[in-house]
Amino acid sequence: PSARENPLYALATNNFDLSLKSLIVKEVSVGDGLRLKRYMPKAFGQATQILRRSSKIKIILEGEKEVKPIKKAVSAPKEKKEVPKKEVKEEVKAKAE
């Protein structure tokens, strides 16, 4: 099974850090879902109720956590731009005069 074929495998690998090879279906259950109520017209102005039933499917997967190596990013030291302080002070003095 691949993560591209089935969204359950994609969720397990991306969100829960489970390895794809160790995934096992632990439990599958089907239960009652929503019921949409519809009405069908009958003779003499009467109507009967029609229930459109759906179901909820619950699948529980089990697996081992995948150990990912920690990558340390090595960044170059940032160069600070040096502003000549004398020039800045001279400009401030010139504006004050």
Side-chain angles (χ1 to χ4, degrees):
S2 69
R4 290 185 180 189
E5 294 173 4
N6 194 336
L8 288 176
Y9 295 121
L11 284 172
T13 55
N14 294 332
N15 295 350
F16 300 105
D17 295 329
L18 298 175
S19 65
L20 188 62
K21 294 179 182 178
S22 69
L23 287 179
I24 299 171
V25 176
K26 183 178 178 182
E27 182 182 338
V28 177
S29 62
V30 179
D32 289 337
L34 295 174
R35 293 181 183 177
L36 299 175
K37 294 181 180 178
R38 300 290 183 254
Y39 295 95
M40 177 180 267
K42 293 287 184 172
F44 302 104
Q46 296 178 352
T48 58
Q49 188 178 26
I50 297 174
L51 291 178
R52 297 217 175 163
R53 299 178 186 195
S54 63
S55 58
K56 290 183 181 178
I57 301 172
K58 183 178 182 181
I59 300 174
I60 299 175
L61 298 176
E62 184 177 52
E64 296 177 3
K65 283 213 170 192
E66 185 176 10
V67 179
K68 294 182 180 179
I70 299 172
K71 295 181 182 178
K72 294 184 178 180
V74 178
S75 60
K78 295 180 181 178
E79 296 179 12
K80 295 182 179 179
K81 294 182 181 179
E82 294 183 20
V83 178
K85 295 180 181 179
K86 293 179 182 177
E87 294 178 9
V88 174
K89 290 180 181 177
E90 290 175 9
E91 290 177 10
V92 173
K93 288 180 183 177
K95 289 181 181 178
E97 293 176 357

